[in-house]
């Protein structure tokens, strides 16, 4: 690779990093502002910040549109790290003006906790990008984010039925599941592995993560 081509590649990656920093900033602000909505009515718009559907969808899209394993890992890390910072920093700022947001200082504990979570997701993103290899492993990897959305959709639907809340999250998760599931179904080579992985992983995810809270 020539020096010019190498510099051009660095510029492209730098622009993508800035882009995902911006996405993280916007996501953190939007999800924090969703706290202005009640969390116990039928729609519960604030649920977008407390459940995983929004993050599973956006992180999956970031991985898909990245250019390499390393690029995917860095993009996801920047997105989640900046999102967490803007989420808790905005709460800290709003606390000076609105009593419901007041906390005694910046919530460093939660910020550090979710920063560690961002590092874990970054490592997972590095692995998930291998779905571009178009082999049997890619059929399994494509199914994982779809399974996560499916597990949450089941959990939220049961919670909606029992408590008459989280309607917005149910609609969001359902649409994301359908769109992502159908899209990846068209890309996999072995439909059977893809579907079997979704069914198995969805059940595991539901009973381990969502069932205990229902």
């Amino acid at each position: 690779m020539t020096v010019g081509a190498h510099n051009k590649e660095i510029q492209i990656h730098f622009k993508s990093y800035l882009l995902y920093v911006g996405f993280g900033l916007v996501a953190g602000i939007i999800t924090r502002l969703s706290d202005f909505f009640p969390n116990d009515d039928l729609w519960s718009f604030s649920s977008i910040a407390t459940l995983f559907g929004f993050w599973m969808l956006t992180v999956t899209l970031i991985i898909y549109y990245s250019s390499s394993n390393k690029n995917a890992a860095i993009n996801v890390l920047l997105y989640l790290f900046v999102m967490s910072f803007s989420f808790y920093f905005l709460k800290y700022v709003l606390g000076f003006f609105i009593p419901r947001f007041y906390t005694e200082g910046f919530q460093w504990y939660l910020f550090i906790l979710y920063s560690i979570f961002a590092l874990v997701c970054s490592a997972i993103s590095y692995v998930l990008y291998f779905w571009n290899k178009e082999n049997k492993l890619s059929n399994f990897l494509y199914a994982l984010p779809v399974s996560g959305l499916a597990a949450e959709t089941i959990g939220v639907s049961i919670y909606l039925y029992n408590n008459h809340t989280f309607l917005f999250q149910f609609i969001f998760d359902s649409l994301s599941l359908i769109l992502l599931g159908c899209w990846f179904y068209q890309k996999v080579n072995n439909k059977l592995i893809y579907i079997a992985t979704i069914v198995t992983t969805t059940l595991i995810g539901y009973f381990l993560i969502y069932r205990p809270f229902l």
Side-chain angles (χ1 to χ4, degrees):
M1 179 182 296
T2 64
V3 175
H6 178 69
N7 290 336
K8 185 176 181 180
E9 183 180 0
I10 292 176
Q11 291 177 356
I12 293 173
H13 286 167
F14 182 72
K15 289 180 180 179
S16 76
Y17 299 151
L18 286 179
L19 177 65
Y20 290 115
V21 165
F23 284 161
L25 182 64
V26 172
I29 292 173
I30 290 176
T31 50
R32 173 52 71 192
L33 293 179
S34 71
D35 282 342
F36 280 103
F37 295 99
N39 61 2
D40 56 355
D41 65 353
L42 177 62
W43 286 94
S44 298
F45 289 106
S46 61
S47 63
I48 193 171
T50 57
L51 292 173
F52 300 118
F54 178 75
W55 314 120
M56 285 189 283
L57 176 65
T58 52
V59 166
T60 299
L61 292 176
I62 290 172
I63 297 169
Y64 184 84
Y65 287 108
S66 296
S67 58
S68 67
N69 298 75
K70 180 180 177 181
N71 185 243
I74 295 175
N75 288 341
V76 169
L77 177 62
L78 290 173
Y79 169 71
L80 292 178
F81 179 82
V82 174
M83 180 277 299
S84 296
F85 178 79
S86 60
F87 184 83
Y88 290 107
F89 182 74
L90 182 55
K91 181 177 184 180
Y92 173 69
V93 172
L94 290 174
F96 288 105
F97 308 100
I98 304 173
R100 65 181 294 186
F101 290 102
Y102 177 74
T103 55
E104 295 183 356
F106 186 84
Q107 294 179 299
W108 285 107
Y109 171 75
L110 289 174
F111 172 65
I112 293 173
L113 178 65
Y114 281 103
S115 295
I116 296 173
F117 178 72
L119 285 170
V120 173
C121 289
S122 176
I124 293 173
S125 301
Y126 185 95
V127 175
L128 285 179
Y129 191 83
F130 280 112
W131 58 35
N132 292 302
K133 298 299 182 180
E134 297 184 356
N135 51 30
K136 290 184 178 181
L137 181 62
S138 66
N139 301 305
F140 171 76
L141 295 176
Y142 271 126
L144 295 181
V146 179
S147 302
L149 284 169
E152 179 162 299
T153 301
I154 294 172
V156 170
S157 65
I158 295 173
Y159 195 85
L160 171 64
Y161 178 79
N162 291 331
N163 299 281
H164 309 291
T165 188
F166 282 13
L167 177 59
F168 171 73
Q169 190 68 38
F170 171 72
I171 294 174
F172 180 89
D173 287 347
S174 298
L175 291 176
S176 299
L177 172 61
I178 293 171
L179 292 174
L180 202 65
C182 293
W183 182 22
F184 284 176
Y185 179 83
Q186 295 175 346
K187 297 188 68 65
V188 298
N189 295 322
N190 192 313
K191 314 296 186 185
L192 181 60
I193 294 178
Y194 175 73
I195 294 174
T197 302
I198 289 177
V199 172
T200 303
T201 312
T202 295
L203 292 175
I204 294 173
Y206 168 73
F207 282 106
L208 287 181
I209 299 175
Y210 295 98
R211 178 62 183 173
F213 297 97
L214 297 176

